[in-house]
Amino acid sequence: MRESQFSFSNRFHLLGDLDQENQIYQTKQNLESSGIEILDLTNSNPTKLGLEFPPSALSHIFSNLDISEYEPIAEGLESTRRSIVTEYEKRGIPITPSDLILTASTSEAYSYCFKLFTNPGDEILTPNPGYPLFSFLVGLENLKEVHYPLKEEMETGTWAYSVESIANCISTKTKLIVLVSPANPTGSRTTEKFWKDWEELGIQIPIIVDEVFVGYEFSGEPHQIPITPNFPLLVCNGLSKMLALPGLKLGWILIKSPEPYRSQIYKNLGFIADTYLSVNSPVQLAIPELIPWKTMVQNRIRTRIMRNLNRCISFVEDCPKILNTPGFEAGWYFLFEFDLEKKDEDFVLEILSKINVFFHPGSWYGLSHNRCFLIVSLISDEETLQRGLEALQIYLR
């Protein structure tokens, strides 16, 4: 019998060489396998950093749920969506349960939105610098990612969204524009002025706003979403950052779009959600009891961020090889730019190999390969961050 021929999807070709080992991660794994302690300053998983949702409260909430009956509601349980509505109302954003579609995560929310608006070969605009996960989310849908640049404010060391920069990247194949506010890793926000300038352009291309870091803003103009946009707008959020619960997979899509877009978007997203029915019942039933813990959870995280921010600023002030004081206004990442004639990936590998401290190179987030950026997580364990920065300071002398 002749052996049948097959091939894998060309989606994987769009993602690069998946078999190629990343030298930095391989070095880290080798050192850890040898029993060497690595001071990892990149960890952003709150459940590994002493910032988890109170375990006893979590156990109590789930032990009191009646999960024996399953209601396969495509958009999500009404009680769950009502609890999320209340959170938006507290922010002065009036919505109804019929404006929400629940998903298993914000990544899945992106997948739904891509399916809703695009065909293979279409283009998605994403911010640069930005989160590297977008390349995989876009590639797995057989789409093309096109970066639009954030505007660097040299005086303040911050990065801002520019209406002009985004508009200049639009082509006839552009079907979606992604904004992250507050952004990862720059902390950039979609402000009231940004939306006013955008609406004046009259562009009707749908926009996704990812606001998973909302609640972690510390200075500058606040994050905003328009109350009554004149274009199709979808807002994504979830439990991962809001409640420090990345393991309880729940996200949502908020439809903030004018008619007739809104009704058709809700109908079609409901069809997609009904096809997969991926959101589990226990987490939906628990939401009314989980969300009241938000203030406590976020206050703990914000306190950690501010303490670590002060450590980073002290490091900058004492390190002559830092080019300038980076700006920090939102999110939980900090960027160091070094005045060094070396690539950031080489610098990360050098630091890892010599003093066993692990940073992320800025180029992984789209920062220029011609500049030497290191990125740290501001929710890192405080002692680990302090030890790591002290070791780097001694090494650079």
Side-chain angles (χ1 to χ4, degrees), residues 8-182:
F8 291 106
S9 167
N10 64 5
R11 290 173 176 83
F12 297 100
H13 297 300
L14 298 174
L15 304 177
D17 186 356
L18 301 182
D19 294 323
Q20 184 177 356
E21 289 284 355
N22 180 292
Q23 187 180 4
I24 292 174
Y25 275 119
Q26 187 62 58
T27 300
K28 180 174 180 287
Q29 290 172 2
N30 291 340
L31 290 169
E32 290 173 331
S33 298
S34 300
I36 296 173
E37 179 191 16
I38 302 298
L39 298 177
D40 187 347
L41 307 190
T42 71
N43 196 337
S44 61
N45 180 350
T47 70
K48 299 291 187 180
L49 297 167
L51 296 170
E52 71 278 5
F53 193 98
S56 58
L58 200 60
S59 298
H60 176 75
I61 290 169
F62 277 91
S63 67
N64 287 283
L65 296 180
D66 179 7
I67 59 175
S68 59
E69 186 173 336
Y70 170 54
E71 293 187 68
I73 299 173
E75 298 80 13
L77 294 178
E78 179 83 9
S79 59
T80 306
R81 288 182 286 152
R82 281 200 305 269
S83 295
I84 297 170
V85 164
T86 300
E87 288 304 301
Y88 280 96
E89 289 176 340
K90 290 177 182 177
R91 292 167 53 189
I93 303 172
I95 66 171
T96 67
S98 62
D99 294 324
L100 291 165
I101 300 287
L102 303 188
T103 64
S105 65
T106 50
S107 293
E108 184 177 71
Y110 278 111
S111 175
Y112 283 13
C113 294
F114 293 167
K115 289 175 173 64
L116 177 68
F117 290 115
T118 69
N119 296 308
D122 286 339
E123 295 178 355
I124 309 288
L125 298 190
T126 64
N128 190 61
Y131 191 43
L133 179 64
F134 289 138
S135 297
F136 299 99
L137 295 174
V138 172
L140 286 172
E141 297 290 339
N142 255 333
L143 302 169
K144 180 181 179 182
E145 182 182 27
V146 175
H147 295 303
Y148 62 84
L150 297 178
K151 181 180 179 182
E152 186 176 7
E153 306 287 355
M154 300 303 295
E155 291 185 1
T156 61
T158 58
W159 302 74
Y161 284 104
S162 163
V163 166
E164 182 180 3
S165 294
I166 297 172
N168 286 341
C169 291
I170 292 173
S171 76
T172 56
K173 290 188 176 182
T174 304
K175 295 300 189 293
L176 265 175
I177 300 169
V178 175
L179 304 167
V180 184
S181 177

